[in-house]
């Protein structure tokens, strides 16, 4: 009894050597059981056709029509007596009915649903091979006859690929498949075309005649040297699983090149094409037919040129000695594929042992390893070095991932040390054996680009997270695999990228990539409008700035160039517990998990926080604990962040070159002191003031609601915003320039620093673009008014720093000359000075005129400037001074750096100093003995600001 045996392959499609032979009954049980259910459902649930095709190509498969030593026509052992027919793209409502109809045909042995879920596979028992000159002719005649039957009875077209004996049929899952072990056998004879309906006889005969012509042509070319060279190259491609057709242009060139050899080369074109992961038989067949029709190439030279570029040997053995050497190797090794590898590389991989072998000088085979290697990826770090990720498995089943630097892969001694650290892995070869092993392995490796900086990648046009990347050209997210590899298309080519932070290669390195591991994409149900509204509700007007600056940071490379190479930095100023740090840290959640701030007042070095700027591109870095007494180098480095001038240092080479750490992220600063160390620093910031320290229960509830959103994840909102990148690249500059002109007109003050106008114009321009996208939870006019108020607030602080110092110098002068006095015009108590500005003002005006000062401030402006001095001003309170009880301005006396304490009694004078929390020094120089225009040196510096 015929058990109908055929070959079974473990998959993927590139695996062309069968695992074993199985019976039809075994195949039925595989498909009927849940063995491949999960894989098949994944295919059926995939929306993207390329993904479906790629997943399908990883499935195990059968060659129902025969048993093979290798999945090519020349390697057929015997025909199985079966043929499989493919019916694709069946409407879902017709699928079950057709399955039922096919099951009623007496010569149908098996019917099951294809992996895609949209087609049917029909297996038929056939007989008549001995009546045909070749197996190929037998297969094709059976196919044509059955195709005619199903077309006549069901008006269904069959996939043409079924006419090939090595036709692949993937496993599937169909618990309700139809199987008839005792189905009738469908007879096949050479004269079956006589029985065809008259309307199709001419077509059928033409097909048969065409097949015969192809067969004749194949015989004619059997001795042709060019076709033999093609076959020689194709066999190398198959044995090494090397794809020449991943680029469409190369695939087309191969078609035109091989078409110059006629129909005899069609099979070889298919064999070259099917190595591609998304191989489509019909598309390949149509491409070759079109190439023959157009006949653009006169020879196969281009095919051989491409093969040579991939390191293949396109020449046949030229001498008897070469042929004899190949034959001797085969006699020793006993396997054609392994002996071919030995001739090519000088060593071979022995399938039966899972190890590498070579031949010694006496021609005796010797084992040179106790393991096998599979190169996963060759990763170029872009820093004059590279390494490879390889899977290494020893004969005992120990499996490890090997990360090896290029330098350690060129010396057998170094290589042995590296693999020995992983466990029982032994390499017995010498340096030349390692070179040969490299030659064999590196032909299969996939070139991979290392992603050292997460965030925006200009070359790849994607935004990288630690767990994948967002393709801005396709608006899709691609997740990394277990090795940290993600694949996307670039210029029509598939490119691999390595993101190391979450790779299993570094799974045991907890101290590596600590910040990058937090920079992740999290898909969550939080909606943008809900988060934006809640964020602004919690943080108020400052929250508006934070919301808009999130978008500024995300497109900061665009903004930086559009604004003339500048990137303003928000500065959160306020007391501890005012909420300034909470708001900033909340904003970092837009890029994944909570990022910690860099403490400027701690042990962080300039190099340290500058390096952080290069970890992420178009991200957000938070610098905290700013103080005006930070080292000058730190202050200068902060200023450089605005201009994106990185830290420079000399390279450790023989030249005089330098390397610079790039500034790629937006920066947010915070501290309990305003950044008033110098005007150039102050004008680089957008100043946010946080004063509130006590919160209501409702405010706390709102914050808890915001935290719940943060815990669910917010980085998916950032990914959604990235879809607008082209919009910002195209329109931002024009909107910014118009906004700058508009803001300058509305402020209407020529003394306002141009940097300040630019800073707030950036915010307002981005807000306008967000408003057009319906992304603002507040009115754009309200935000514009807020920006104008903030501009003027910073202007008054900047302007007032010089004028207020002159005012206090005048007050000191007036006290010295007895024109004003304590207990009449001001009061000194407990470290504070209380002053009646309305009573002192006219004395100030007269003294300024006497000094011939040009810039005499009016009273409201002077008061505004005095209140803007955050270091000294405390508040406006009612205070009794002398006999008068009225509103006075309260200042921290020590911060004013003036001397207003007077008393002829030294005991009382000493007591007053103690009350004002100052050290009494009777030898102190009088203030009038110092700087320019009567200003003490320290105050002169302040006046310069």
């Amino acid at each position: 009894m015929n058990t109908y045996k055929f070959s079974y392959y473990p998959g993927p499609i590139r695996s062309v050597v069968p695992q074993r032979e199985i019976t039809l009954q075994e195949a039925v049980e595989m498909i009927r059981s849940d063995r491949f259910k999960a894989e098949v459902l994944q295919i059926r649930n995939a929306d993207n056709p390329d993904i479906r095709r790629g997943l399908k190509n990883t499935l195990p498969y059968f060659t129902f029509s025969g048993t093979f030593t290798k999945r090519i026509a020349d390697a057929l052992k015997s025909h199985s007596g079966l043929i499989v027919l493919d019916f694709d793209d069946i409407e879902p409502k017709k699928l079950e009915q057709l399955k039922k109809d096919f099951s009623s045909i007496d010569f149908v042995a098996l019917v099951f649903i294809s992996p895609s879920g949209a087609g049917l596979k029909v297996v038929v028992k056939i007989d008549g091979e001995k009546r045909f000159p070749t197996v190929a002719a037998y297969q094709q005649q059976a196919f044509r006859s059955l195709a005619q039957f199903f077309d006549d009875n069901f008006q269904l077209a069959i996939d043409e690929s079924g006419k090939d004996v090595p036709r692949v049929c993937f496993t599937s899952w169909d618990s309700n498949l139809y199987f008839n072990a005792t189905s009738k056998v469908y007879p096949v004879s050479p004269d079956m075309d006589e029985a065809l309906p008259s309307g199709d006889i001419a077509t059928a005969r033409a097909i048969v005649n065409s097949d015969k012509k192809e067969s004749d042509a194949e015989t004619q070319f059997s001795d042709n040297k060019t076709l033999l060279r093609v076959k020689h190259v194709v066999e190398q491609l198959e044995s090494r699983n090397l794809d020449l057709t991943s680029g469409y242009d190369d695939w087309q060139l191969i078609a035109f090149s091989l078409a110059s050899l006629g129909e005899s080369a069609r099979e070889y074109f298919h064999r070259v094409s099917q190595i591609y992961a998304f191989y489509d038989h019909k598309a390949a067949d149509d491409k070759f037919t079109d190439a023959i029709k157009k006949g653009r190439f006169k020879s196969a030279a281009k095919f051989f040129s491409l093969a040579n570029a991939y390191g293949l040997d396109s020449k046949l053995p030229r001498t008897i000695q070469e042929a004899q050497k190949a034959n001797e190797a085969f006699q020793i090794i006993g396997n054609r594929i392994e002996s071919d590898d030995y001739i090519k590389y000088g060593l071979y991989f022995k399938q039966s042992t899972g190890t590498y072998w070579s031949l010694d000088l006496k021609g005796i085979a010797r084992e040179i390893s106790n393991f096998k290697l599979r190169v996963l990826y060759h990763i170029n770090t872009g820093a004059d070095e590279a390494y490879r990720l390889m899977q290494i498995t020893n004969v005992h089943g120990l499996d490890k991932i090997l990360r090896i630097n290029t330098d350690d892969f060129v010396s057998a001694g170094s290589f042995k040390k590296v693999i020995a650290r992983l466990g029982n892995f032994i390499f017995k070869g010498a340096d030349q054996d390692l070179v040969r092993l490299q030659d064999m392995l590196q032909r299969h490796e996939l070139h991979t680009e290392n992603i050292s900086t997460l965030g925006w990648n200009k070359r790849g046009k994607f935004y990288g997270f630690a767990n994948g990347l967002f393709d801005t050209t396709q608006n899709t997210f691609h997740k990394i695999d277990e090795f940290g590899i993600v694949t996307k298309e670039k210029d029509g080519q598939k490119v691999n990228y390595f993101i190391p932070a979450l790779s299993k290669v570094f799974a045991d390195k907890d101290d590596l990539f600590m910040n990058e591991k937090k920079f992740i994409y999290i898909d969550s149900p939080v909606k943008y409008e809900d988060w934006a509204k809640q964020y602004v509700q919690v943080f108020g007007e400052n929250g508006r700035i934070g919301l808009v600056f999130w978008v500024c940071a995300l497109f900061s490379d665009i903004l930086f160039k559009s604004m003339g190479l500048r990137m303003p930095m928000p500065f959160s100023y306020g007391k501890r517990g005012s909420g300034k740090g909470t708001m900033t840290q909340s904003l970092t959640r837009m890029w994944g998990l909570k990022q910690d701030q860099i403490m400027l007042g701690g042990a962080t070095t300039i190099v340290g926080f500058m390096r952080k700027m290069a970890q992420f591109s178009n991200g957000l870095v938070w610098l905290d604990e700013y103080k005006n007494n930070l080292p000058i180098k730190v202050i200068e480095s902060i200023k450089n962040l605005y201009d994106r001038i990185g830290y420079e240092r000399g390279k450790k080479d023989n030249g005089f070159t330098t390397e610079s750490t790039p500034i790629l992220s937006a920066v947010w600063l915070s501290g309990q002191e305003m950044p008033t160390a110098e005007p150039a620093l102050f004008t680089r910031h957008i100043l946010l003031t946080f004063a509130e320290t006590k919160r209501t229960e409702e405010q706390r509830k709102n914050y808890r609601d915001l935290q719940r959103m943060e815990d669910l994840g917010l980085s998916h909102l950032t990914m959604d915003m990235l879809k607008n990148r082209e919009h910002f690249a195209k329109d931002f500059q024009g909107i910014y320039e118009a906004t700058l002109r508009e803001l300058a007109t509305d402020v209407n003050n020529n003394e306002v620093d141009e940097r300040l106008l630019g800073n707030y114009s950036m915010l307002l321009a981005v807000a306008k673009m967000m408003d057009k996208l319906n992304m603002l939870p507040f009115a754009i006019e309200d935000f514009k008014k807020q920006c104008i108020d903030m501009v003027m607030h910073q202007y008054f602080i900047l302007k007032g720093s010089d004028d207020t110092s002159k005012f206090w110098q005048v007050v000191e002068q007036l006290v010295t000359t007895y024109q004003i006095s304590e207990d009449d015009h001001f009061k000194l108590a407990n470290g504070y000075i209380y002053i009646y500005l309305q009573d002192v003002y006219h004395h100030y005006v007269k003294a300024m005129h006497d000094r011939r000062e040009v810039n005499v401030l009016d009273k409201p402006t002077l008061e505004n400037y005095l209140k803007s001095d955050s270091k000294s001003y405390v508040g406006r309170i009612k205070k009794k001074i002398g006999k008068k009880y009225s509103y006075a301005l309260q200042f921290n006396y020590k911060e004013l750096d003036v001397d207003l304490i007077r008393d002829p009694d030294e005991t009382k004078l000493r007591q007053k100093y103690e009350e004002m929390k100052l050290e009494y020094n009777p030898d102190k120089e009088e203030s009038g003995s110092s700087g320019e225009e009567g200003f003490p040196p320290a105050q002169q510096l302040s006046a310069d600001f």
Side-chain angles (χ1 to χ4, degrees):
M1 179 181 176
N2 191 342
T3 55
Y4 296 100
K5 286 188 175 182
F6 44 88
S7 292
Y8 170 76
Y9 304 74
I13 188 64
R14 295 185 178 188
S15 176
V16 296
V17 178
Q19 187 181 75
R20 60 190 176 94
E21 294 177 7
I22 65 171
T23 64
L24 185 57
Q25 180 69 45
E26 289 178 276
V28 168
E29 292 306 319
M30 281 186 188
I31 299 166
R32 180 187 284 152
S33 71
D34 291 345
R35 181 170 175 179
F36 303 109
K37 178 179 179 180
E39 292 87 342
V40 172
L41 287 180
Q42 188 178 9
I43 295 167
R44 293 175 183 173
N45 292 332
D47 295 327
N48 188 307
D50 287 338
I51 293 176
R52 283 200 302 271
R53 192 180 301 114
L55 291 172
K56 185 181 74 172
N57 286 340
T58 65
L59 290 173
Y61 61 89
F62 318 107
T63 47
F64 272 115
S65 290
T67 56
F68 295 81
T69 57
K70 189 177 183 181
R71 199 193 73 231
I72 55 175
D74 291 348
L76 176 69
K77 293 167 63 178
S78 63
H79 197 284
S80 65
L82 299 172
I83 188 169
V84 62
L85 310 173
D86 279 359
F87 298 90
D88 297 325
D89 301 321
I90 301 174
E91 295 180 27
K93 60 183 179 181
K94 294 182 179 180
L95 191 70
E96 286 300 327
Q97 184 58 48
L98 280 173
K99 185 178 177 183
K100 184 177 180 181
D101 292 342
F102 292 169
S103 302
S104 66
I105 302 171
D106 58 3
F107 58 76
V108 169
L110 174 63
V111 184
F112 63 93
I113 299 173
S114 65
S116 68
L120 290 173
K121 306 281 188 180
V122 177
V123 178
V124 177
K125 300 173 184 176
I126 59 175
D127 184 47
E129 178 185 351
K130 293 181 180 179
R131 303 182 64 185
F132 290 83
T134 64
V135 173
Y138 168 51
Q139 180 86 0
Q140 289 170 8
Q141 182 70 330
F143 176 81
R144 301 301 178 192
S145 177
L146 287 165
Q148 188 69 56
F149 173 85
F150 281 95
D151 187 35
D152 290 344
N153 290 278
F154 301 97
Q155 291 75 52
L156 287 174
I158 301 179
D159 187 337
E160 288 287 315
S161 61
K163 68 178 183 292
D164 300 325
V165 181
R167 167 60 181 166
V168 166
C169 180
F170 289 101
T171 57
S172 187
W173 171 67
D174 185 353
S175 57
N176 295 315
L177 60 73
Y178 168 77
F179 176 54
N180 182 4
T182 59
S183 64
K184 292 185 178 180
V185 176
Y186 186 81
V188 183
S189 63
D191 56 354
M192 290 182 77
D193 58 318
E194 300 296 338
L196 295 176
S198 59
D200 293 311
I201 289 177
T203 302
R205 281 179 175 160
I207 292 171
V208 172
N209 289 335
S210 173
D211 291 338
K212 289 179 179 178
K213 288 177 181 177
E214 290 176 24
S215 178
D216 292 341
E218 197 166 84
T219 302
Q220 178 183 347
F221 274 94
S222 62
D223 294 327
N224 184 286
K225 187 175 180 180
T226 304
L227 203 59
L228 288 175
R229 286 180 65 197
V230 171
K231 180 180 178 182
H232 178 58
V233 170
V234 171
E235 287 176 346
Q236 292 177 71
L237 290 172
E238 291 171 335
S239 66
R240 290 157 181 73
N241 198 24
L242 185 61
D243 182 14
L244 297 185
T245 67
S246 57
Y248 178 82
D249 291 342
D250 286 347
W251 185 52
Q252 184 167 251
L253 289 173
I254 291 170
F256 284 127
S257 181
L258 294 182
S260 67
L261 301 174
E263 283 292 341
S264 299
R266 184 181 291 271
E267 177 197 345
Y268 295 117
F269 179 66
H270 276 290
R271 287 167 64 178
V272 171
S273 300
Q274 69 185 11
I275 300 174
Y276 178 51
F278 301 115
Y279 165 67
D280 184 304
H281 184 281
K282 186 176 184 304
D285 215 49
D286 291 346
K287 174 58 66 178
F288 193 78
T289 299
D290 181 64
I292 285 182
K293 187 184 299 181
K294 292 179 178 177
R296 291 185 179 176
F297 288 8
K298 294 182 180 180
S299 74
K302 186 62 182 178
F303 173 71
F304 296 126
S305 175
L306 284 170
N308 290 335
Y310 277 78
L312 299 176
D313 181 10
S314 64
K315 298 179 181 179
L316 294 173
R318 297 180 181 178
T319 65
I320 296 175
Q321 287 79 7
E322 288 177 343
Q324 184 177 359
K325 182 180 179 182
N327 186 57
E328 289 174 352
F330 175 69
Q331 295 299 321
I332 296 170
I333 296 169
N335 180 289
R336 179 62 66 184
I337 295 175
E338 293 172 6
S339 63
D340 287 348
D341 278 348
Y342 174 74
I343 295 299
K344 182 68 177 177
Y345 303 113
L347 54 76
Y348 61 96
F349 176 70
K350 194 170 183 178
Q351 290 282 350
S352 60
T353 62
T355 57
Y356 298 101
W357 291 66
S358 184
L359 303 183
D360 63 17
L361 296 175
K362 297 180 180 180
I364 299 173
R366 62 184 182 89
E367 190 177 49
I368 61 172
S369 79
N370 73 335
F371 59 82
K372 63 179 178 180
L373 283 170
R374 181 167 72 97
V375 177
L376 300 172
Y377 301 99
H378 172 225
I379 299 170
N380 187 350
T381 65
D384 299 326
E385 62 178 359
Y387 59 88
R388 289 174 171 83
L389 290 185
M390 295 189 283
Q391 186 175 23
I392 182 169
T393 308
N394 71 8
V395 292
H396 306 293
L398 179 61
D399 187 89
K400 294 284 186 178
I401 297 300
L402 172 64
R403 178 181 181 269
I404 187 166
N405 191 289
T406 303
D407 294 344
D408 292 327
F409 203 33
V410 296
S411 162
S414 298
F415 179 66
K416 290 175 182 179
K417 291 177 183 177
V418 172
I419 62 175
R421 295 189 193 110
L422 297 178
N424 184 11
F425 298 100
I426 301 172
F427 184 69
K428 309 169 188 175
D431 284 346
Q432 63 267 31
D433 294 310
L434 184 61
V435 171
R436 292 164 183 164
L437 181 60
Q438 287 179 35
D439 189 27
M440 173 184 283
L441 294 173
Q442 291 173 12
R443 295 173 187 269
H444 307 295
E445 69 187 15
L446 298 173
H447 178 72
T448 303
E449 294 185 23
N450 184 64
I451 303 301
S452 57
T453 300
L454 298 179
W456 174 242
N457 187 295
K458 181 180 179 181
R459 290 178 63 241
K461 291 183 172 56
F462 61 78
Y463 197 90
F465 293 92
N467 58 340
L469 57 85
F470 178 75
D471 186 342
T472 58
T473 62
Q474 301 294 326
N475 289 332
T476 53
F477 183 75
H478 303 270
K479 190 176 180 181
I480 61 170
D481 64 14
E482 59 181 331
F483 301 110
I485 304 294
V486 61
T487 302
K488 72 175 286 290
E489 284 203 1
K490 177 182 174 184
D491 301 326
Q493 301 281 339
K494 290 192 180 297
V495 180
N496 293 306
Y497 295 97
F498 177 55
I499 306 176
L502 297 177
S503 170
K504 67 182 293 184
V505 179
F506 302 105
D508 58 341
K509 307 291 185 182
D510 293 336
D511 56 335
L512 286 179
F513 310 111
M514 294 178 66
N515 294 318
E516 288 88 343
K517 288 174 182 177
K518 301 174 185 176
F519 200 91
I520 58 174
Y521 167 69
I522 305 171
D523 193 10
S524 89
V526 177
K527 295 180 179 178
Y528 170 80
E529 55 269 24
D530 294 337
W531 167 78
K533 181 180 178 181
Q534 194 69 22
Y535 187 83
V536 173
Q537 187 172 15
V538 170
F539 298 112
E541 290 191 350
N542 286 336
R544 296 178 185 175
I545 302 295
L547 175 66
V548 174
F549 194 76
W550 160 59
V551 179
C552 295
L554 192 57
F555 302 125
S556 63
D557 63 317
I558 296 172
L559 274 57
F560 178 70
K561 290 183 179 179
S562 299
M563 296 190 301
L565 305 183
R566 58 178 71 182
M567 189 63 204
M569 302 172 288
F571 189 102
S572 295
Y573 157 72
K575 297 178 180 179
R576 189 178 303 278
S578 61
K580 63 183 186 299
T582 303
M583 189 187 101
T584 311
Q585 193 163 66
S586 177
L587 200 61
T588 67
R589 298 299 292 268
M590 301 305 292
W591 285 270
L593 303 179
K594 180 174 64 178
Q595 290 280 357
D596 295 326
Q597 67 269 51
I598 297 175
M599 297 298 189
L600 293 173
T604 304
T605 64
I606 295 174
V607 178
F609 81 72
M610 280 294 190
R611 282 178 180 168
K612 184 70 178 287
M613 305 300 161
Q615 284 184 341
F616 309 113
S617 176
N618 286 4
L620 181 65
V621 176
W622 175 22
L623 305 180
D624 194 14
E625 289 191 350
Y626 171 85
K627 293 181 180 179
N628 286 313
N629 62 356
L630 287 171
I632 294 297
K633 286 186 177 181
V634 176
I635 298 292
E636 289 301 314
S637 296
I638 293 173
K639 286 164 58 179
N640 287 340
L641 298 177
Y642 173 89
D643 305 295
R644 294 203 162 180
I645 299 173
Y647 177 81
E648 289 193 352
R649 64 179 179 181
K651 294 186 71 173
K652 295 180 179 179
D653 55 20
N654 294 326
F656 298 95
T657 58
T658 60
E659 57 184 3
S660 177
T661 302
I663 309 300
L664 302 175
S665 281
V667 182
W668 194 301
L669 286 94
S670 60
Q672 297 185 56
E673 296 182 12
M674 280 189 190
T676 55
E678 54 178 279
L681 173 67
F682 187 68
T683 55
R684 282 167 161 79
H685 288 96
I686 297 165
L687 186 66
L688 290 80
T689 302
F690 290 75
E692 188 178 65
T693 55
K694 294 183 180 180
R695 294 170 180 82
T696 65
E697 180 55 37
E698 182 181 359
Q699 289 173 322
R700 293 191 186 95
K701 179 183 178 300
N702 288 334
Y703 177 61
R704 289 194 295 269
D705 290 342
L706 178 62
Q707 280 186 310
R708 279 190 281 271
M709 293 183 184
E710 293 172 355
D711 292 341
L712 288 171
L714 299 174
S715 53
H716 68 294
L717 302 180
T718 295
M719 193 176 76
D720 286 340
M721 189 65 207
L722 281 169
K723 297 175 183 177
N724 299 297
R725 180 175 173 83
E726 288 302 316
H727 174 46
F728 274 80
K730 178 183 176 184
D731 297 337
F732 174 77
Q733 184 166 356
I735 295 173
Y736 167 74
E737 291 172 353
T739 302
L740 183 60
R741 292 190 295 269
E742 175 189 333
L743 194 63
T745 301
D746 291 339
V747 169
N748 194 25
N749 188 328
N750 292 331
E751 293 185 4
V752 173
D753 190 272
E754 183 273 336
R755 273 205 200 106
L756 291 179
L757 290 175
N759 295 350
Y760 290 94
S761 294
M762 175 194 75
L763 290 175
L764 190 53
V766 170
K768 287 179 179 179
M769 297 183 75
M770 293 175 69
D771 190 44
K772 288 183 179 180
L773 297 169
N774 296 317
M775 296 183 68
L776 290 184
F778 46 81
I780 188 66
E781 287 303 318
D782 291 343
F783 189 70
K784 179 180 178 182
K785 182 180 182 305
Q786 179 183 347
C787 287
I788 293 173
D789 290 343
M790 293 177 73
V791 168
M792 296 309 298
H793 177 63
Q794 277 195 248
Y795 163 71
F796 284 133
I797 294 173
L798 184 65
K799 179 69 176 171
S801 60
D802 180 43
D803 292 320
T804 55
S805 65
K806 287 185 178 180
F807 168 77
W808 289 112
Q809 290 306 310
V810 168
V811 169
E812 185 174 4
Q813 177 185 331
L814 293 172
V815 171
T816 303
T817 58
Y818 304 104
Q819 297 180 56
I820 65 173
S821 61
E822 187 179 3
D823 292 331
D824 288 323
H825 301 90
F826 63 91
K827 179 73 175 175
L828 301 175
N830 300 318
Y832 297 103
I833 176 173
Y834 304 87
I835 188 167
Y836 286 157
L837 185 61
Q838 61 272 26
D839 291 351
V840 174
Y841 180 71
H842 70 280
H843 295 288
Y844 155 77
V845 172
K846 184 177 183 303
M848 291 289 281
H849 283 305
D850 291 344
R851 290 162 56 122
R852 297 182 182 179
E853 290 281 357
V854 176
N855 191 27
V856 180
L857 302 178
D858 60 77
K859 181 174 169 293
T861 301
L862 174 60
E863 183 173 351
N864 203 348
Y865 284 177
L866 290 170
K867 290 179 178 179
S868 296
D869 187 354
S870 60
K871 291 196 298 183
S872 63
Y873 179 67
V874 178
R876 181 173 179 266
I877 63 171
K878 276 196 169 185
K879 186 74 175 177
K880 184 177 181 181
I881 301 178
K883 297 179 180 180
K884 189 174 181 180
Y885 184 70
S886 184
Y887 280 101
L889 300 182
Q890 180 184 3
F891 298 90
N892 188 326
Y893 181 78
K894 190 175 182 179
E895 293 294 336
L896 298 176
D897 200 21
V898 292
D899 183 8
L900 306 180
I901 302 175
R902 303 285 188 273
D903 200 298
D905 187 328
E906 185 174 347
T907 301
K908 292 182 179 179
L909 186 65
R910 187 185 300 273
Q911 290 173 348
K912 195 67 175 180
Y913 266 91
E914 290 177 358
E915 180 186 354
M916 297 305 290
K917 302 175 183 178
L918 298 172
E919 180 182 354
Y920 177 65
N921 183 3
D923 298 325
K924 180 181 176 182
E925 291 185 351
E926 294 295 326
S927 61
S929 63
S930 55
E932 182 183 348
E933 298 186 14
F935 283 48
Q939 290 153 353
Q940 183 69 50
L941 291 173
S942 179
D944 290 341
F945 177 68

